[in-house]
Amino acid sequence: MRTGPSQDEIRRQNLGALLRYVHVHGATSRAELTTALGLNRSTIGALTADLAGAGLVSEGAPKETGRAGRPSLVVRPESERVFAYAFSVEVDRLRAARVGLGGELLDRRDVPRAHGSTAAEAAPLLTALVKEMEQGTSTGAVCVGAGVAVVGMVRRTDGLVRSSPTTGWVDEPLGELLRAGLGTGHPVAVGNVADLAMLAEHVRGVAVGCDNVIYLHGDAGVGAGIIAGGRRVTGHDGYGGEVGHMVVNPHGQPCGCGSRGCWETEIGGPALLRAAGRDGVEGQDAILSVVDPAARGDASAQAAVRQAGDWLGFGVANLVNILNPEMVVFGGTMRDLYLAAAAQVRSRLNSMALAACREQVRLRTPKLGDEAPLIGAAELAFERLLADPLDV
Amino acid sequence: MRTGPSQDEIRRQNLGALLRYVHVHGATSRAELTTALGLNRSTIGALTADLAGAGLVSEGAPKETGRAGRPSLVVRPESERVFAYAFSVEVDRLRAARVGLGGELLDRRDVPRAHGSTAAEAAPLLTALVKEMEQGTSTGAVCVGAGVAVVGMVRRTDGLVRSSPTTGWVDEPLGELLRAGLGTGHPVAVGNVADLAMLAEHVRGVAVGCDNVIYLHGDAGVGAGIIAGGRRVTGHDGYGGEVGHMVVNPHGQPCGCGSRGCWETEIGGPALLRAAGRDGVEGQDAILSVVDPAARGDASAQAAVRQAGDWLGFGVANLVNILNPEMVVFGGTMRDLYLAAAAQVRSRLNSMALAACREQVRLRTPKLGDEAPLIGAAELAFERLLADPLDV
């Protein structure tokens, strides 16, 4: 009985699996690939030959192991030759990077972003950064895709930036603008910054091997990337993870979204400034302008940090009850707040989350730092290649 | 190049896919199976013959179509011959059912559950119901598994009931107790009632075809079954969905979990009774003892329903922001509350949830009613058979 996937489909799946493996794990011996992918040696050899023929991997001798016997050849991703462009639109800057297959940051640039500037203004600035980077790109190198991380709600079907309070953007076709500007013909995948930072930390960072993770990202607002059962949770339309607008304090402050007492009104920069009796600072600087004095012993700053940390733990406890993650990662400004108020966060978690839901959870900060959105945008861009390596 | 899944694996996958299709969709013509499964006619014929040989499906002429030409044979699940036992442990009763392949409720029984009775006391009562049902089971019928829905937190790895405030159970090996009592040798799969009601509604009920759903289940407490990206979200240890312990009112009532102002303290029976100035009723009856007078015009009951409905919408809005579902289903006591206070729920959703997150969401009540936990427990029990039809 000959049924099921065709030979072509199986070959495509296996090529994708092998390429994804070396993309994620780096240089890997044929012997290890055989074990990891559950394929025999001759198949691994044939797949590697196909990928090498397409310029996606190279084979070579491993580093000296000191062990006797003929060493297994090592398969490496062609990081210098095969790359994606990754972009990040942030409150006060625009970033672009060239990321090699395997996740290597080959080059990166940034320019300031003017307050109030539009997507139509951002796109040419980003493509200008690409032109700069092209100078340093070796002949024969191939761009296989592009991705962009944006602070805002991104429609799953087409990457439209529906709403981004931070930049003021509404219904901006950012991916389309970038695609037109790049002129490479590749679609530009668009993702929310928290989703993409989560993706990066899941593939290459602190959450490797974790199937149930909540990644909190703070900037002007607070959002989350969620992984459940090993897969990204983006919701029906792509707008999932808006945890900053979970209402935690019904009698709290009005929120920019029109509601009141949203989580981000209690843990964001403005809340810290308000509690500490300061003002006039924005974004990441706002958090630091309170966290730093608190670390130096300023009593009013310390009280403000404790209060915001208490609310941070409050919301985390809610999310732990709802999603029973094995890890919560505090990224962006939430990293600074968490590090300054870990005791408050843990205390709230212990008092508010059910024991069964919280007992396995680890609280962590990101491993990839500021690069996470770019790495994540590149991961998104590599998806097409990894799904069908010889078709891109 | 011969790689990838073996012939045996492909055959097993295809047998499972065909059996799952008729299990979910009922009698299906060979022609439709060919299209739905993407396999050719001769393969469908061979797979059907294998499944029929194992007694899992039968083939026969379709009902008269009135159309000319030779009709395509119809493949039916052997619902009378192949069945699972499904159990439900509830606050005040124990239920058992015999559910045929295809989801047909062939038989069901229940007995009262004494307040404070243990899992060790429940298991023999449930197996006694099975003995009763065995009288009516035709010769040659085969039990392929068993599943049980329980109000409580169920550990994913082994089905241990970690904690169930409703029954007072702590660390009860309910599945093991039932397996020993049944003596069929099959493991007994254990699931949380909200998760299993969600599963039932997703496979056969109101949420068919929906990939992102929140199913709220109310009884003495409130829990949720969550489906994201088409898959059940159960969390790292199986304890996800404890939405009843999301704190919505920091200055609210103490909750049995040790926290304060949990969602279930505002939308559960006790909250309604308190708001309406009544007492002395428990469980589903508590909700109805306020909702019914409200429907008849009782002003204090109406005010209580409005207040609880407002809190119901409050929590739903939070969940919609976090998960961006396409449907929220109100089950158990939440069905009664929602039907009585749909205006409050919708109003809160509109004022508190972000437009992008809520604009596609449909609010619904279950289609399967009280049977959902039993149907869901049976679905859990059928999983093994559907994964490898000829091995069970």
Side-chain angles (χ1 to χ4, degrees):
Chain A
M1 188 173 58
R2 290 285 312 116
T3 67
S6 69
Q7 290 300 310
D8 260 9
E9 285 165 335
I10 291 173
R11 178 161 165 274
R12 195 158 55 230
Q13 284 170 17
N14 286 339
L15 288 166
L18 199 161
L19 190 60
R20 183 179 295 273
Y21 196 90
V22 299
H23 170 66
V24 171
H25 297 89
T28 308
S29 74
R30 281 199 185 188
E32 187 181 333
L33 287 169
T34 305
T35 309
L37 303 182
L39 298 170
N40 63 39
R41 290 176 66 93
S42 67
T43 302
I44 293 292
L47 294 169
T48 303
D50 283 352
L51 292 173
L56 297 169
V57 303
S58 61
E59 282 196 288
K63 296 196 181 96
E64 189 55 58
T65 64
R67 282 193 286 176
R70 192 162 66 97
S72 181
L73 285 174
V74 160
V75 183
R76 291 188 177 82
E78 280 279 20
S79 302
E80 291 285 340
R81 213 192 79 82
V82 181
F83 68 88
Y85 286 118
F87 305 105
S88 175
V89 175
E90 301 171 16
V91 181
D92 51 7
R93 63 176 171 172
L94 301 168
R95 290 198 285 166
R98 205 160 62 80
V99 181
L101 189 64
E104 198 179 339
L105 262 174
L106 300 169
D107 196 356
R108 65 190 138 168
R109 312 287 165 114
D110 59 83
V111 289
R113 178 179 169 270
H115 187 76
S117 70
T118 65
E121 287 161 347
L125 293 172
L126 287 168
T127 52
L129 296 179
V130 166
K131 297 298 169 207
E132 281 181 35
M133 290 192 289
E134 277 177 357
Q135 309 301 319
T137 305
S138 57
T139 317
V142 180
C143 172
V144 294
V148 54
V150 60
V151 178
M153 303 177 80
V154 177
R155 189 157 68 191
R156 186 165 56 87
T157 46
D158 59 2
L160 185 81
V161 181
R162 269 297 299 279
S163 161
S164 165
T166 308
T167 57
W169 295 1
V170 174
D171 291 344
E172 290 283 7
L174 177 64
E176 187 51 38
L177 291 166
L178 283 170
R179 191 193 62 77
L182 287 173
T184 58
H186 293 298
V188 178
V190 189
N192 170 274
V193 63
D195 285 338
L196 295 187
M198 164 83 272
L199 176 59
E201 294 289 344
H202 187 238
V203 175
R204 309 188 178 280
V206 69
V208 166
C210 295
D211 281 346
N212 295 276
V213 187
I214 298 168
Y215 177 99
L216 291 179
H217 179 83
D219 42 57
V222 176
I226 299 169
I227 291 200
R231 302 202 312 182
R232 287 200 296 145
V233 172
T234 57
H236 180 244
D237 308 291
Y239 308 131
E242 289 291 339
V243 298
H245 297 284
M246 164 174 66
V247 174
V248 293
N249 187 356
H251 304 294
Q253 301 291 316
C255 179
C257 75
S259 186
R260 175 182 289 276
C262 291
W263 195 21
E264 66 181 46
T265 67
E266 298 291 351
I267 60 176
L272 264 175
L273 292 171
R274 193 176 65 234
R278 292 156 197 258
D279 58 19
V281 202
E282 284 195 0
Q284 185 127 359
D285 295 342
I287 297 274
L288 293 176
S289 78
V290 180
V291 164
D292 286 347
R296 292 194 301 269
D298 180 302
S300 72
Q302 285 177 338
V305 165
R306 278 197 302 273
Q307 181 179 319
D310 192 55
W311 281 111
L312 179 58
F314 187 110
V316 167
N318 276 355
L319 295 176
V320 164
N321 281 338
I322 296 167
L323 292 165
N324 180 211
E326 64 197 290
M327 183 179 287
V328 177
V329 183
F330 298 86
T333 58
M334 291 301 105
R335 177 180 179 277
D336 302 305
L337 179 57
Y338 169 70
L339 290 175
Q344 281 73 33
V345 173
R346 179 54 78 175
S347 168
R348 270 292 187 182
L349 186 61
N350 288 345
S351 65
M352 281 178 55
L354 300 172
C357 289
R358 71 172 143 80
E359 64 195 359
Q360 304 283 335
V361 75
R362 287 170 286 163
L363 308 183
R364 292 287 185 276
T365 54
K367 189 170 159 188
L368 304 173
D370 270 5
E371 313 299 356
L374 290 171
I375 304 277
E379 290 302 324
L380 207 59
F382 283 125
E383 280 299 327
R384 278 176 63 237
L385 175 73
L386 299 175
D388 194 355
L390 303 188
D391 192 49
V392 174
Chain B
M1 187 173 58
R2 290 283 312 116
T3 67
S6 69
Q7 291 301 308
D8 259 10
E9 285 167 335
I10 291 173
R11 177 162 165 273
R12 195 157 56 229
Q13 284 170 16
N14 286 338
L15 287 166
L18 198 160
L19 190 59
R20 185 179 293 273
Y21 196 90
V22 298
H23 170 65
V24 171
H25 297 89
T28 308
S29 74
R30 281 198 186 188
E32 188 180 332
L33 287 169
T34 305
T35 308
L37 302 182
L39 299 169
N40 63 38
R41 291 177 65 95
S42 67
T43 302
I44 293 291
L47 293 168
T48 303
D50 283 352
L51 293 172
L56 297 169
V57 304
S58 61
E59 283 197 288
K63 296 197 181 95
E64 189 55 59
T65 63
R67 282 193 286 177
R70 193 163 65 100
S72 180
L73 284 175
V74 161
V75 183
R76 291 188 176 83
E78 279 279 19
S79 302
E80 292 284 339
R81 212 192 78 80
V82 181
F83 67 89
Y85 287 118
F87 305 105
S88 174
V89 174
E90 301 171 15
V91 181
D92 52 6
R93 64 177 171 170
L94 302 168
R95 290 198 287 165
R98 206 160 63 80
V99 181
L101 188 65
E104 197 180 337
L105 262 174
L106 300 169
D107 196 354
R108 65 190 138 170
R109 312 287 166 112
D110 60 84
V111 290
R113 178 179 169 271
H115 187 73
S117 69
T118 65
E121 288 162 345
L125 293 171
L126 287 167
T127 51
L129 296 179
V130 166
K131 297 299 168 205
E132 281 181 35
M133 290 192 289
E134 277 178 356
Q135 309 300 322
T137 306
S138 57
T139 316
V142 181
C143 172
V144 294
V148 55
V150 60
V151 177
M153 303 176 80
V154 177
R155 188 158 69 190
R156 186 165 57 89
T157 46
D158 59 2
L160 186 80
V161 181
R162 270 295 299 281
S163 162
S164 165
T166 308
T167 57
W169 295 0
V170 174
D171 291 345
E172 290 283 8
L174 178 65
E176 188 51 38
L177 291 167
L178 283 171
R179 191 193 62 76
L182 287 174
T184 58
H186 293 298
V188 177
V190 189
N192 170 274
V193 63
D195 285 338
L196 295 186
M198 164 83 272
L199 177 59
E201 294 289 344
H202 187 239
V203 176
R204 310 186 177 281
V206 69
V208 166
C210 295
D211 280 347
N212 295 278
V213 187
I214 299 168
Y215 176 99
L216 292 178
H217 179 82
D219 41 57
V222 176
I226 299 170
I227 291 199
R231 301 201 313 181
R232 287 199 295 146
V233 171
T234 57
H236 180 244
D237 308 290
Y239 308 131
E242 289 291 339
V243 299
H245 297 285
M246 164 174 66
V247 174
V248 294
N249 187 356
H251 303 294
Q253 300 292 316
C255 178
C257 75
S259 186
R260 176 182 289 276
C262 292
W263 196 21
E264 65 181 46
T265 68
E266 298 291 352
I267 60 175
L272 265 176
L273 292 171
R274 194 175 65 235
R278 293 156 198 255
D279 58 18
V281 202
E282 285 195 359
Q284 184 128 359
D285 295 341
I287 298 274
L288 293 177
S289 79
V290 180
V291 165
D292 286 346
R296 291 193 303 267
D298 180 302
S300 73
Q302 285 176 338
V305 165
R306 279 197 302 272
Q307 182 179 319
D310 191 55
W311 281 111
L312 179 58
F314 186 109
V316 167
N318 276 356
L319 295 175
V320 164
N321 280 338
I322 297 168
L323 292 164
N324 181 212
E326 62 198 290
M327 182 180 288
V328 177
V329 183
F330 297 86
T333 60
M334 291 301 106
R335 176 179 181 277
D336 302 306
L337 180 56
Y338 169 70
L339 290 175
Q344 281 74 31
V345 173
R346 179 54 79 176
S347 169
R348 270 290 187 184
L349 187 61
N350 287 346
S351 65
M352 281 178 56
L354 300 171
C357 290
R358 72 173 142 80
E359 64 195 359
Q360 303 283 336
V361 73
R362 288 169 285 164
L363 308 182
R364 292 287 185 273
T365 54
K367 189 170 158 189
L368 304 172
D370 270 4
E371 313 299 357
L374 289 171
I375 303 277
E379 290 302 324
L380 207 59
F382 282 125
E383 280 300 326
R384 278 176 63 237
L385 175 74
L386 298 175
D388 195 354
L390 303 188
D391 192 49
V392 174

